[in-house]
Amino acid sequence: MYLGIDGGGSKTKAILVDAKNQLLGQGIAGAANPLHGVEQTITSITLAAELALESAGVARSQLSRLVVGAGLAGVNLPDLFEIMTNWDHPFAQFFLTTDLHIACLGAHSGADGAVIITGTGSCGYSSVKGKSLIVGAHGFPFGDKGSGAWFGLEALKYALLASDGLADDSPLKDSVEQALQAKGIDLVGKMVGATSKKYAKLAPLVMDLADQQDPVSVAIVQDGADYISAVAKKLLAQGAQRLSMIGGVSQRLQQWMSPEVVSRLTQAQMQPEFGAVLFAKRELLSLDKTA
Amino acid sequence: MYLGIDGGGSKTKAILVDAKNQLLGQGIAGAANPLHGVEQTITSITLAAELALESAGVARSQLSRLVVGAGLAGVNLPDLFEIMTNWDHPFAQFFLTTDLHIACLGAHSGADGAVIITGTGSCGYSSVKGKSLIVGAHGFPFGDKGSGAWFGLEALKYALLASDGLADDSPLKDSVEQALQAKGIDLVGKMVGATSKKYAKLAPLVMDLADQQDPVSVAIVQDGADYISAVAKKLLAQGAQRLSMIGGVSQRLQQWMSPEVVSRLTQAQMQPEFGAVLFAKRELLSLDKTA
């Protein structure tokens, strides 16, 4: 039995499949981004795995028989990759890679290609002829342009400027104030120390108003979309023949992106957690070859 | 004896003066911004006060005889103002206001006027004919444009974009990489969860390169300076006859600001902690009148 894990800043998905890739069970747990907590990452992975076993009617004690492929956010940082690799895990095997890698494997069923994820965060990844490239994946608040969290942050920045009379008024200010049930300086109180997930909840406000041609919202969405188009061009320049976009804001972003890029987009074939299973199988195979 | 306290995100300054405003002693302690910790704020204020007594050769037990005026960052948020007002303080009297208010009182020796603080954070304040206005003071990362932390954040955002090949190269990238002793994605590892103070340490890099006409740095500094010019115009529009700029980056910002605004700037007359003493004396007087 194989377990595929997709761990991100918001949640962890685990799927249990048999040798023929038949889905046996699924489990969902909390965040698994070691950048924001190694302990929680370990807890989430273990819980998601146990829940997947349970949903398949398999005893939790069978964890130790599983071959696990896990793609996690944050492990593009070499230090975090090492910490998670050294985890004294409860599985038979634990193969670790980035959430980007498994998303790309899933999107193209293991074939070469590229993927852009625009959900709570943003990033791009391509894997062509054994060479991979990560673009973005820098995290909040200094990176992740064009992501849900970034749209939320820009909306809040604008609302604060406008409430000081230092930006043109726009329905976006009212919309942010209504969503947070606060005005002016009290907006700050509502968002102090907010997680990227909380910022991302404001993203649909900007998207909705951009659709209605509110100039302030259009400017924010266009800026984010231009960045994602640039990421896409960078990935295509690596020679990727297939490029997919996944994540919560990817659908709505596309109408603002470069038509040249959008025309190149292909539908993702499988979810990242299935990509994680592909990854585990490949790693196991290469271990067997080495042995 | 009066104690004046200036509490901010980096440190707390306390001065002890006699009834004739003669300086008797000084103390410095850690941060006092209740937004980032009420406990630490209380600890810092108490310690700074005790050190001021000690430096004046007065027993620490005399805390209970002091009339204290304190201007703190963060208490522009109504909830935090209430929390700090309800503090069971060790002083005879404890009069609380914002760090902005005492900076303004100090800068103009208690007269009407306006002040802009551009240090780790940024904000503006005017007090004219009994009406006060706060502009900015929103905090990091969504506000504080034109502050040291904001310059540092923008520098990091740029360096990450450039290391992905998605922004033009510039000496600023090298400068940030050298300061953080890291490149590309490893920059993220160095700055994850960084405080605004840590971001502000990158500000001089941007300022230095802007002075050398590096286009990327000039664009960042000009954007920040334009915002501060807009804040200044907003404050002057309230009728302030005097406007002072204080804080770590205020001197270097001025060459990038609107000449019209810069020509209106006047030197601050006293430090904020002396403004805090003025505030305490006024509050005491108005209490006496009420009684």
Side-chain angles (χ1 to χ4, degrees):
Chain A
M1 286 187 299
Y2 294 86
L3 193 81
I5 287 184
D6 176 24
S10 312
K11 62 176 185 287
T12 302
K13 283 191 268 183
I15 53 160
L16 184 72
V17 301
D18 62 18
K20 288 176 180 162
N21 274 339
Q22 293 298 307
L23 184 66
L24 303 175
Q26 302 187 59
I28 288 187
N33 181 344
L35 189 55
H36 301 132
V38 170
E39 273 310 308
Q40 162 148 43
T41 300
I42 286 173
T43 304
S44 296
I45 292 174
T46 312
L47 180 59
E50 289 173 341
L51 293 174
L53 285 176
E54 197 167 313
S55 86
V58 179
R60 290 188 179 201
S61 59
Q62 300 295 299
L63 273 188
S64 60
R65 287 185 49 210
L66 298 178
V67 172
V68 178
L72 303 185
V75 299
N76 52 321
L77 292 173
D79 290 354
L80 293 177
F81 186 87
E82 200 181 319
I83 288 172
M84 287 307 302
T85 299
N86 291 332
W87 173 31
D88 185 22
H89 61 79
F91 310 113
Q93 299 270 10
F94 180 71
F95 299 111
L96 178 67
T97 188
T98 62
D99 52 345
L100 293 163
H101 188 192
I102 60 162
C104 194
L105 286 170
H108 312 304
S109 300
D112 277 4
V115 69
I116 292 176
I117 309 179
T118 46
T120 304
S122 73
C123 49
Y125 179 91
S126 78
S127 177
V128 177
K129 294 176 185 157
K131 276 185 70 178
S132 65
L133 175 75
I134 295 178
V135 184
H138 297 141
F140 192 76
F142 35 71
D144 288 11
K145 193 165 179 177
S147 70
W150 184 86
F151 286 119
L153 177 61
E154 294 303 308
L156 179 63
K157 282 162 76 171
Y158 158 76
L160 288 168
L161 279 179
S163 68
D164 270 346
L166 293 177
D168 290 337
D169 238 325
S170 127
L172 183 58
K173 189 185 84 169
D174 306 332
S175 184
V176 170
E177 288 177 346
Q178 208 175 346
L180 296 177
Q181 290 285 300
K183 279 174 190 280
I185 191 69
D186 288 324
L187 293 170
V188 171
K190 297 279 181 174
M191 293 299 284
V192 162
T195 58
S196 52
K197 201 173 162 184
K198 190 165 174 187
Y199 278 100
K201 285 197 178 141
L202 300 176
L205 310 178
V206 196
M207 296 281 184
D208 288 347
L209 287 167
D211 285 349
Q212 295 163 38
Q213 300 302 321
D214 164 51
V216 169
S217 303
V218 166
I220 293 173
V221 173
Q222 194 59 62
D223 188 20
D226 286 348
Y227 169 76
I228 299 299
S229 294
V231 171
K233 286 176 187 167
K234 189 95 196 163
L235 297 173
L236 290 169
Q238 303 297 306
Q241 294 301 310
R242 289 180 50 92
L243 170 64
S244 298
M245 274 185 78
I246 58 175
V249 300
S250 63
Q251 207 60 46
R252 298 194 72 175
L253 259 184
Q254 288 173 25
Q255 62 173 304
W256 302 95
M257 286 172 59
S258 148
E260 180 196 341
V261 165
V262 174
S263 71
R264 295 288 304 273
L265 295 178
T266 50
Q267 188 67 39
Q269 292 172 340
M270 299 190 302
Q271 297 287 318
E273 54 272 27
F274 288 90
V277 171
L278 284 181
F279 173 71
K281 289 184 173 178
R282 281 192 186 174
E283 292 294 302
L284 198 62
L285 204 64
S286 91
L287 268 189
D288 287 349
K289 278 184 190 158
T290 320
Chain B
M1 287 187 299
Y2 295 86
L3 193 81
I5 287 184
D6 177 25
S10 313
K11 63 175 185 285
T12 302
K13 284 191 266 183
I15 52 159
L16 185 72
V17 301
D18 63 18
K20 287 176 182 163
N21 275 339
Q22 292 297 311
L23 184 66
L24 303 175
Q26 302 187 59
I28 288 187
N33 181 344
L35 189 55
H36 301 133
V38 170
E39 272 312 308
Q40 161 145 46
T41 300
I42 286 172
T43 303
S44 296
I45 292 174
T46 312
L47 180 59
E50 288 173 343
L51 293 174
L53 284 177
E54 196 166 312
S55 87
V58 179
R60 289 188 180 203
S61 60
Q62 300 295 300
L63 274 189
S64 62
R65 286 183 50 210
L66 298 178
V67 172
V68 178
L72 303 186
V75 299
N76 53 323
L77 292 172
D79 290 355
L80 293 177
F81 186 87
E82 200 180 319
I83 287 172
M84 287 307 302
T85 298
N86 291 332
W87 174 31
D88 185 21
H89 61 79
F91 310 113
Q93 300 270 10
F94 180 70
F95 299 112
L96 178 67
T97 188
T98 62
D99 53 345
L100 294 164
H101 187 191
I102 60 162
C104 195
L105 286 170
H108 312 304
S109 301
D112 278 3
V115 70
I116 292 176
I117 308 179
T118 46
T120 306
S122 74
C123 50
Y125 179 91
S126 77
S127 176
V128 177
K129 293 178 184 155
K131 278 185 69 177
S132 65
L133 175 75
I134 295 177
V135 183
H138 297 142
F140 192 77
F142 35 70
D144 289 12
K145 193 165 178 176
S147 69
W150 184 86
F151 286 118
L153 177 62
E154 293 303 308
L156 179 64
K157 282 162 77 171
Y158 159 75
L160 288 168
L161 280 179
S163 68
D164 270 346
L166 292 177
D168 290 337
D169 238 324
S170 128
L172 183 58
K173 189 185 84 169
D174 306 329
S175 183
V176 169
E177 287 177 346
Q178 208 176 345
L180 295 177
Q181 289 286 300
K183 279 174 190 281
I185 191 68
D186 288 325
L187 293 171
V188 171
K190 298 279 181 174
M191 293 299 284
V192 161
T195 59
S196 51
K197 201 172 160 183
K198 189 165 174 187
Y199 278 100
K201 284 196 180 142
L202 300 176
L205 310 179
V206 195
M207 296 282 184
D208 288 347
L209 287 167
D211 286 349
Q212 293 162 39
Q213 300 302 322
D214 165 51
V216 169
S217 303
V218 166
I220 293 173
V221 173
Q222 193 60 62
D223 189 19
D226 286 348
Y227 169 76
I228 300 298
S229 293
V231 171
K233 285 174 187 169
K234 189 95 195 161
L235 296 174
L236 290 168
Q238 302 297 306
Q241 294 300 310
R242 288 181 51 93
L243 170 64
S244 298
M245 273 185 80
I246 58 177
V249 299
S250 62
Q251 207 60 45
R252 298 193 73 175
L253 259 185
Q254 288 174 24
Q255 62 173 306
W256 303 94
M257 287 173 56
S258 149
E260 181 196 339
V261 164
V262 174
S263 70
R264 294 288 305 273
L265 295 178
T266 51
Q267 188 66 40
Q269 293 172 340
M270 299 190 301
Q271 297 286 319
E273 54 273 28
F274 287 90
V277 171
L278 283 180
F279 173 71
K281 289 185 173 177
R282 280 191 188 178
E283 291 294 303
L284 198 63
L285 203 64
S286 91
L287 268 189
D288 288 349
K289 277 183 188 161
T290 320

